[in-house]
Structures are given as structure tokens and as C-alpha cells.
């Protein structure tokens, strides 16, 4: 019998298939489209599971699913997702938890700490070694998600279209050559098409490419400052007593800036992981 582990974010889901009774055997891993359980339409989730996950499990009997997902906030949301998973992968024991708990377990195991996610979205919570005991609601990329890929992308678009004089002509030209997007195209993608958060986050590689420019470096650093001030409890930010750790592509690819911001606040940065799945696998 196999265990299926999922780390599901808004952009992608990382899956691992493993047999707990054969610890020396490497897991089978694959990637599918991601989703947010709280906001993605059920029919979209069902289609992702049916078209991208079920075919991978054709000859595999899954007895247990450990699903860590964005938007898994408990209650009806989790129960609805449980139903969709059981339809796609029947006869399985299903455990559903938020992606923040998955990040915390990957970062700290059974030790306490402050677990943070900086990917397409962002999140942060205090972990006691077993559960998340304190969490500031991330509120999504329109109302919150400070420091996330979606917010970095949104800020870049504002600089490009509202304050183009802040960047040299060669960077503006490179943006236009890379993406070939008009103002109208961007309005269409953000306000009239689904997955605007993914679209905005897709500009982060461009920010990384030109990160040595002071405007873009400051854009990222300021966003990380906003993340800490908006999401960490004031007492922990002012008098750090717990190590802080980060999971996610944004944290990983901008780790030098993130580490510098944490250092300015006296926050001991325990670890920065691009993804939690390898650490979660090792704990099964």
C-alpha cells in the first residue's frame, strides 16, 4: 500500500508516492497544476485531479493521502476537498491540512518556530512543534499576501506602466520584448480572466533578472519588510524569541535579500526551503 503526499500551492502541486514499509525505496514524484481550495471552483479542482493525478496512479493502490494545501482552512472547505479527492482516488484515508502546517513541519519538525510561506501567495504562523497556534490571515493577493510573487508582480507592473522613468530604457525595452503586453492586455488578464495571482507572479523571474537595479532591489526588500510587519505579532517582531523559517520560490530565489531583512530585525533565520515536500517525505 502506498502513501500519497501533496504540497499544493496556487500555481503548482508537488506530489510524492511512497511505500512506508520500504524506506530505502525512493519516492515517485510528479508535478501538476496547483489550486487554492478556498477559491478555485470545484469543477476546476475536479478536472485537475481527474486529468493530471488519476492517470499517474493507474497501477498504484493508495491507502493514505496527506494533503497540505493553500486555502485548506478547515470546515466545509476541507470537507469539500476531501470529497473531490475521494472521488479521484477512492478507498484512501485522507488527511487535509493547510500548507502553512506543512511548511512548519518541513522547517522545524517537532521544534517550535515561526513558519512562513513566500510563493505565489504568502502566509505566516507561530508553530509549537505540533500545530499552528497563531496565524495572521493572509487575506489573498488583493487585500494582503505581502511579499508574495503576486504582490511583487503587481508592484513591477505599477513601476513599468505608472512610473517608467524610474527604470532605464534597456530594462523597459527588455520587459516589452519579453512579454509583449499592452496596458489593455494586463487589465484583461488581471480583471477578467482567472488565476490573476499566477499571472502577476509570473513576472518575478524578470525582477530576479534585473535585481541589481536599486529600484527593483528596493521593491523586493520593501515587500519583505511589509510581510514581516503585517504578519508577525508585534512582540515577536520587536523581541524575537523563536527562529523563523521560510518556504517557497520567492523566499528561495530572493534569499539574500530576505536574509538581510530578517537580520535587520534580529530574526534568526533557521532555514529557507524552495519546497517543503522533501522534508515532509523524510518524516513519513
Amino acid at each position: 500500500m502506498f502513501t500519497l503526499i501533496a504540497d499544493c500551492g496556487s500555481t503548482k502541486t508537488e506530489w510524492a508516492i511512497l511505500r512506508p514499509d520500504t524506506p530505502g525505496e525512493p519516492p515517485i514524484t510528479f508535478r501538476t497544476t496547483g489550486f487554492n481550495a478556498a477559491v478555485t471552483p470545484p469543477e476546476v479542482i475536479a478536472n485537475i485531479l481527474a486529468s493530471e493525478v488519476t492517470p499517474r496512479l493507474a497501477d498504484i493502490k493508495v491507502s493514505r493521502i496527506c494533503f497540505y494545501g493553500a486555502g485548506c482552512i478547515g470546515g466545509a472547505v476541507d470537507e469539500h476537498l476531501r470529497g473531490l479527492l475521494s472521488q479521484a482516488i477512492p478507498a484512501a484515508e485522507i488527511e487535509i491540512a493547510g500548507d502553512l502546517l506543512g511548511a512548519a513541519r518541513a522547517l522545524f519538525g517537532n521544534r517550535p518556530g515561526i513558519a512562513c510561506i513566500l510563493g505565489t501567495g504568502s502566509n505566516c504562523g507561530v508553530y509549537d512543534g505540533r500545530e499552528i497556534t497563531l496565524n495572521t490571515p493572509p487575506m489573498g493577493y488583493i487585500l494582503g499576501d505581502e511579499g508574495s510573487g503576486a504582490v511583487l508582480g503587481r508592484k513591477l507592473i505599477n513601476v513599468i506602466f505608472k512610473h517608467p522613468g524610474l527604470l532605464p530604457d534597456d530594462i523597459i525595452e527588455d520587459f516589452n520584448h519579453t512579454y509583449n503586453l499592452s496596458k489593455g492586455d494586463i487589465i484583461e488578464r488581471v480583471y477578467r480572466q482567472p488565476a490573476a495571482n499566477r499571472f502577476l507572479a509570473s513576472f518575478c523571474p524578470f525582477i530576479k533578472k534585473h535585481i541589481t537595479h536599486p529600484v527593483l532591489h528596493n521593491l523586493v526588500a520593501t515587500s519583505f519588510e511589509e510581510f514581516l510587519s503585517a504578519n508577525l505579532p508585534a512582540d515577536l517582531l520587536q523581541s524575537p524569541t523563536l527562529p523563523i523559517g521560510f518556504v517557497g520560490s520567492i523566499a528561495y530565489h530572493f534569499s539574500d535579500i530576505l536574509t538581510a531583512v530578517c537580520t535587520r530585525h534580529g530574526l534568526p533565520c533557521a532555514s529557507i526551503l524552495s519546497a517543503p515536500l522533501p522534508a515532509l517525505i523524510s518524516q513519513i
Side-chain angles (χ1 to χ4, degrees):
M1 295 298 233
F2 292 83
T3 294
L4 181 64
I5 306 175
D7 168 44
C8 179
S10 296
T11 297
K12 65 182 183 298
T13 304
E14 303 280 358
W15 302 81
I17 307 167
L18 62 157
R19 293 187 62 167
D21 57 341
T22 56
E25 185 176 325
I28 301 167
T29 59
F30 61 97
R31 177 181 295 179
T32 64
T33 304
F35 57 85
N36 184 304
V39 300
T40 303
E43 62 273 17
V44 174
I45 298 175
N47 182 64
I48 291 170
L49 295 175
S51 63
E52 300 184 40
V53 180
T54 301
R56 300 273 191 160
L57 306 173
D59 301 316
I60 295 173
K61 179 67 174 178
V62 175
S63 60
R64 180 188 177 200
I65 301 173
C66 299
F67 190 97
Y68 297 97
C72 294
I73 55 177
V77 170
D78 288 12
E79 287 308 307
H80 195 72
L81 177 60
R82 190 186 309 278
L84 295 173
L85 286 167
S86 66
Q87 290 175 19
I89 313 166
E93 173 191 347
I94 302 174
E95 302 172 20
I96 295 177
D99 55 349
L100 185 59
L101 181 59
R105 289 175 175 172
L107 288 163
F108 300 111
N110 59 5
R111 296 172 289 109
I114 302 170
C116 304
I117 295 173
L118 287 174
T120 299
S122 67
N123 205 346
C124 177
V126 177
Y127 177 64
D128 68 358
R130 295 183 59 191
E131 302 292 339
I132 300 295
T133 59
L134 185 62
N135 171 229
T136 301
M139 300 301 290
Y141 72 100
I142 294 176
L143 299 176
D145 272 1
E146 298 84 7
S148 69
V151 169
L152 293 181
R154 187 189 71 203
K155 289 187 173 187
L156 173 68
I157 292 301
N158 271 313
V159 171
I160 295 289
F161 285 91
K162 297 177 77 171
H163 307 287
L166 293 176
L167 293 172
D169 290 344
D170 63 313
I171 293 182
I172 300 295
E173 289 171 4
D174 188 29
F175 179 88
N176 291 330
H177 175 75
T178 302
Y179 298 106
N180 192 29
L181 291 168
S182 68
K183 182 177 65 175
D185 294 331
I186 290 174
I187 295 296
E188 170 72 22
R189 291 293 303 273
V190 172
Y191 291 100
R192 296 178 185 145
Q193 293 190 22
N197 57 338
R198 285 189 217 162
F199 170 69
L200 291 170
S202 72
F203 296 110
C204 288
F206 185 86
I207 298 175
K208 175 69 174 178
K209 179 181 179 181
H210 296 285
I211 195 62
T212 56
H213 192 279
V215 168
L216 298 182
H217 188 282
N218 185 63
L219 182 153
V220 175
T222 300
S223 294
F224 290 160
E225 290 279 0
E226 291 168 353
F227 172 80
L228 293 177
S229 62
N231 294 283
L232 259 67
D235 57 335
L236 290 179
L237 187 58
Q238 294 168 6
S239 301
T241 57
L242 291 172
I244 189 168
F246 297 87
V247 163
S249 58
I250 298 303
Y252 183 78
H253 288 293
F254 297 99
S255 59
D256 53 344
I257 301 176
L258 180 58
T259 301
V261 169
C262 289
T263 300
R264 283 199 293 272
H265 288 279
L267 290 165
C269 191
S271 184
I272 298 176
L273 305 176
S274 61
L277 193 60
L280 293 172
I281 291 170
S282 69
Q283 295 173 21
I284 295 293

